[in-house]
Amino acid sequence: MKRTGDEYFDSEEFQSILESFEQASDSGGSIFQDADDLADIADYYHYIGNHEAAEEAIGQALSMFPTATAPLIYKAREALEYEDVEGAEAYLEQMDDKESPDYHYMQAELLIAQDKIEDADLLLREYFKTVPANEYNDYVMDVANIYLDYGVTDKAYEWSMRSSGNNSEDFKELMGNILLGLGKFEDSQRIFNELIDKNPYSTRYWNSLANAQYMNEDYGSSIDSSEYAIAIDPTDPESLVTKANSLLRLNNFEEALKYFERYAEVAGEDAFSELNKGICLLSTNRPEEALEHLKKAEELSNQESEYLAQIYQETAFTYSALHDVDKAIEALEKTSELPCNHADMEVLKGHILLENEKMEEATNAFKKALLKSDSSPEIMIRILVSLYDNHLVQAAYAIFKRFYKTIVDEDYQNGHAYMALCCWDLKKDQEFLDYLKLSCERNPQEARLVLGNLFPEKMKVEDYYNYMKEKLTS
């Protein structure tokens, strides 16, 4: 059985249920699990990406318990994944127990999935009136978690505030996750640190803290927190992958590769791990090895995979590194039917053509990107960054000047860090300082990402300007 990082799926209780089911399935014997256990087994298989086994388990559940709540809710959620609202409604109608909270929760999920947030909220508030007083807090937490699962974080917060005097660890964990979803990363970290003080051996709390630090771009602290989780459970997939992601962000590709490999050992090879192994290998100038993993990532993906567009993108970069431009462009063409930003893909195509000295074809690709994006300023910036990356610094500088003077408003927030970089390379010190100041004021995240290597590692973005002004004037 694969390790998942999910507390229940990795528990001895569930492992025993799963082992019993698999033994019966393999031998053709009778299945003795109840409807809830079979739905959990289907959820487990779905979670690890074994969709065929998931369908087999839920099929068994529905054949034995055709009107049971848990299997029908599984099928309803599966229908929603494919945006089949009518199918989800049909499964809901087959349920015997239409008085259960799960039935009402699923009704709300149907509305949320259709972006009918206020309708869902009305339904949940009406049902709230029927909930016994001693179950208020549990109901509030259930509803808040539903909203959190669907990314409707403001509603999750609103419902969490209905809780009365709830000091439980579960409630604090919920609040930590809500604050994380609201972008209040430091407040989220504070809550998870409090939870860790009470339970220092919880890998879940350490992972949540690491995630909040990662989202706050404090990658060093995220690595430290992940290491505590790994020390508690060396086979925990979530802590291994969070550390790998943080190492990747710090461009420590060799170490990141080791942790993506460890993750794959415990969670099983999947498109995600193979993709990231490929990225690490390409970043360490091993394109042949990278290509093997990217091909495997593609094999492990279906057409609905969230990773497919990035797999093709990284495959294109890899072929470009191998100077096979035709295959690089062929990989990007595969994204044409995927739900991704097609203007972005044209920019990438132009970038690859440019780095292979095909200027005319690159220019045509950039024109297509502008056409597809209706001359989006963000796409224009990406094209200018491509010019810079391909050592056409003077051209990028000249177009950036025109961009800020005639194309965007004077209070436009993005791109100033890249313009500052052009000025730095061209030794235009005063212009560099001017654009550095604008970048730090208007988009500190971009300033740190683009210009951070010009400054001491721990320096805050708000100190960049004064530090560099003093350095240049002295």
Side-chain angles (χ1 to χ4, degrees):
M1 147 168 183
K2 289 185 179 181
R3 292 277 296 166
T4 65
D6 180 273
E7 190 171 350
Y8 178 62
F9 289 157
D10 292 339
S11 69
E12 288 185 14
E13 177 189 355
F14 179 74
Q15 287 184 40
S16 175
I17 292 168
L18 179 64
E19 184 179 0
S20 175
F21 171 80
E22 289 182 338
Q23 285 176 352
S25 296
D26 291 343
S27 65
S30 299
I31 304 291
F32 293 107
Q33 282 77 16
D34 62 22
D36 289 348
D37 285 344
L38 288 168
D40 286 342
I41 290 166
D43 268 328
Y44 164 76
Y45 284 131
H46 186 274
Y47 190 88
I48 65 171
N50 189 342
H51 301 293
E52 185 178 337
E55 285 305 305
E56 181 185 338
I58 209 65
Q60 288 276 7
L62 288 171
S63 68
M64 295 165 66
F65 311 100
T67 61
T69 298
L72 288 168
I73 283 180
Y74 176 95
K75 292 299 289 184
R77 288 200 178 114
E78 183 181 59
L80 286 182
E81 285 185 22
Y82 294 98
E83 300 180 2
D84 180 8
V85 174
E86 289 184 5
E89 289 173 342
Y91 285 119
L92 205 55
E93 279 306 304
Q94 293 175 46
M95 282 175 54
D96 263 349
D97 187 2
K98 292 185 171 61
E99 299 302 318
S100 71
D102 286 335
Y103 175 80
H104 294 279
Y105 292 153
M106 195 64 227
Q107 279 189 313
E109 287 189 46
L110 274 166
L111 293 167
I112 295 168
Q114 297 172 77
D115 207 27
K116 296 178 180 179
I117 307 301
E118 292 307 321
D119 290 344
D121 215 51
L122 178 61
L123 184 152
L124 290 164
R125 280 186 275 117
E126 284 299 311
Y127 187 66
F128 193 21
K129 295 174 185 177
T130 71
V131 174
N134 65 336
E135 296 177 13
Y136 277 6
N137 284 342
D138 289 341
Y139 181 78
V140 163
M141 286 183 61
D142 285 344
V143 173
N145 274 306
I146 288 169
Y147 278 123
L148 198 57
D149 287 344
Y150 281 86
V152 189
T153 318
D154 55 340
K155 283 292 184 185
Y157 179 76
E158 181 185 317
W159 273 88
S160 70
M161 291 298 97
R162 291 187 168 98
S163 180
S164 55
N166 193 339
N167 276 325
S168 70
E169 289 189 12
D170 285 346
F171 181 75
K172 285 186 176 180
E173 184 177 8
L174 169 66
M175 284 305 303
N177 287 321
I178 288 172
L179 291 166
L180 179 61
L182 290 171
K184 298 182 180 295
F185 305 127
E186 292 182 4
D187 291 334
S188 177
Q189 289 174 56
R190 177 180 52 77
I191 287 177
F192 286 115
N193 273 312
E194 288 176 6
L195 289 167
I196 286 167
D197 286 342
K198 291 184 178 179
N199 186 357
Y201 297 104
S202 169
T203 55
R204 194 170 72 250
Y205 294 161
W206 280 113
N207 283 332
S208 295
L209 177 61
N211 193 27
Q213 291 162 334
Y214 179 87
M215 295 301 294
N216 202 31
E217 299 182 359
D218 186 359
Y219 303 121
S221 296
S222 181
I223 288 169
D224 291 342
S225 297
S226 297
E227 285 173 346
Y228 279 108
I230 292 167
I232 296 164
D233 182 356
T235 62
D236 178 60
E238 186 178 348
S239 50
L240 291 169
V241 83
T242 303
K243 182 172 180 179
N245 283 331
S246 295
L247 289 164
L248 194 61
R249 285 288 189 171
L250 293 173
N251 296 333
N252 190 343
F253 302 113
E254 292 286 2
E255 279 299 301
L257 178 61
K258 291 177 186 177
Y259 279 88
F260 282 120
E261 287 171 340
R262 283 183 62 179
Y263 164 79
E265 285 172 10
V266 298
E269 290 181 340
D270 55 18
F272 169 79
S273 61
E274 291 302 306
L275 165 63
N276 281 285
K277 288 180 204 175
I279 291 170
C280 292
L281 289 162
L282 180 60
S283 300
T284 51
N285 199 29
R286 293 147 73 184
E288 292 90 352
E289 293 176 69
L291 194 57
E292 291 177 20
H293 289 281
L294 293 168
K295 286 179 177 178
K296 194 165 188 179
E298 184 180 357
E299 289 171 9
L300 291 168
S301 301
N302 57 38
Q303 199 61 22
E304 285 74 40
S305 171
E306 61 184 301
Y307 305 114
L308 202 51
Q310 191 181 0
I311 291 167
Y312 291 140
Q313 175 183 315
E314 296 299 332
T315 300
F317 285 141
T318 305
Y319 276 123
S320 181
L322 293 167
H323 307 293
D324 192 337
V325 184
D326 291 340
K327 285 191 176 178
I329 301 304
E330 183 183 316
L332 286 177
E333 293 290 354
K334 291 181 180 180
T335 66
S336 60
E337 301 300 321
L338 297 178
C340 60
N341 188 322
H342 299 293
D344 271 354
M345 293 303 161
E346 289 295 340
V347 174
L348 292 175
K349 193 181 296 182
H351 179 82
I352 286 170
L353 290 164
L354 201 56
E355 70 182 2
N356 286 277
E357 300 180 357
K358 294 181 177 290
M359 179 67 76
E360 186 177 345
E361 293 98 321
T363 302
N364 289 334
F366 290 147
K367 285 178 180 176
K368 284 183 182 178
L370 290 170
L371 189 64
K372 287 183 177 182
S373 68
D374 197 21
S375 296
S376 155
E378 286 72 25
I379 289 295
M380 294 184 76
I381 288 173
R382 294 202 62 184
I383 292 170
L384 292 172
V385 172
S386 178
L387 294 179
Y388 176 86
D389 286 345
N390 282 288
H391 313 297
L392 299 171
V393 182
Q394 185 65 53
Y397 166 81
I399 301 171
F400 258 128
K401 290 279 281 189
R402 192 160 69 249
F403 176 79
Y404 286 116
K405 186 175 288 188
T406 64
I407 294 174
V408 294
D409 298 333
E410 61 179 21
D411 59 350
Y412 186 70
Q413 302 292 305
N414 302 326
H416 299 92
Y418 295 104
M419 178 55 161
L421 202 56
C422 291
C423 295
W424 175 263
D425 285 6
L426 295 171
K427 303 193 184 320
K428 296 178 181 289
D429 290 353
Q430 187 54 52
E431 278 190 272
F432 167 73
L433 288 172
D434 292 342
Y435 282 104
L436 172 64
K437 187 174 185 181
L438 283 171
S439 178
C440 293
E441 291 172 351
R442 296 185 181 181
N443 195 334
Q445 183 177 358
E446 182 185 86
R448 184 187 298 110
L449 177 68
V450 178
L451 301 168
N453 64 331
L454 300 178
F455 300 91
E457 187 177 343
K458 300 287 185 181
M459 182 172 283
K460 294 180 179 178
V461 173
E462 53 263 37
D463 297 329
Y464 280 8
Y465 177 76
N466 288 333
Y467 170 87
M468 192 56 76
K469 184 177 180 181
E470 183 178 342
K471 182 177 179 179
L472 290 176
T473 52
S474 63

